[in-house]
Amino acid sequence: MTTLHQGIRSNPSGDWPEIDPTAFVDPSAQIIGNVRIGERVYVAPMVVIRADEADAEGRVQPIVIEAETNIQDGVIIHSMAGLPVTIGRGASIAHGVILHGPCTIGESCFVALRATIYSAILEDYVWVGIGSTVMRTTVPSHTMIPAGSVIRTSSDVRTFRFINEKEEKYQANVFSAAAALREGYAGLNESTRPEKTG
């Protein structure tokens, strides 16, 4: 593979990241192994996305980031051996979030600052508040998880409300800002735009 981006590299199993040419990955980010980054994704500074733990047969399951998602500063995404991570189209993963697989983040989810998602499923349009922890459960679509919540079971989710119009507007603004950054940085320095690899 030929690339000017030193942070994009293979895992010990020989898997290289696959990055769509319309995505922008900051030069300080570390993208390692069986990672698939889709169209118009924005990956901010100091992100670590690491797909490198092999199962008993030596296979590493992918970390998949679908189109138009933004992964903000200092996010860490990893998984246990043999278990995948998927982030749906148009999701916003805010500063300092930790996503540890197996986990699925649905379409247009918003995961706020310093939240942790571990071995969980967020269905579409879920909002996870600042500093929350969600583990070993499924959160239904359009649910609002308040800041600082600790979710361990499905019963923990039942008391929460749906997201409201104000929160939807905030999420749309974050999406627009991330898209503008992606295009701005890509245009500012084309040498930092990773080529599609495989």
Side-chain angles (χ1 to χ4, degrees), residues 3 11 13 16 33 38 44 50-51 77 96 107 109 115 118-119 137 151 154 173 178 186 191:
T3 180
N11 62 25
S13 299
W16 281 92
R50 182 164 61 90
I77 305 172
E107 180 178 338
C109 285
Y118 174 77
S119 190
T137 193
I151 309 300
S154 297
N173 289 341
S191 68

Side-chain angles (χ1 to χ4, degrees), residues 75-109:
V75 169
I76 297 172
I77 305 172
H78 189 240
S79 188
M80 294 184 291
L83 300 170
V85 174
T86 301
I87 303 173
R89 184 183 187 95
S92 293
I93 311 299
H95 312 292
V97 166
I98 297 174
L99 303 179
H100 201 283
C103 69
T104 299
I105 309 300
E107 180 178 338
S108 297
C109 285

Side-chain angles (χ1 to χ4, degrees), residues 152-169:
R152 297 187 189 93
T153 67
S154 297
S155 61
D156 292 337
V157 180
R158 292 179 188 149
T159 60
F160 296 139
R161 64 172 174 82
F162 289 143
I163 60 174
N164 60 33
E165 186 176 346
K166 180 180 177 181
E167 290 149 359
E168 289 176 349
K169 183 176 180 181

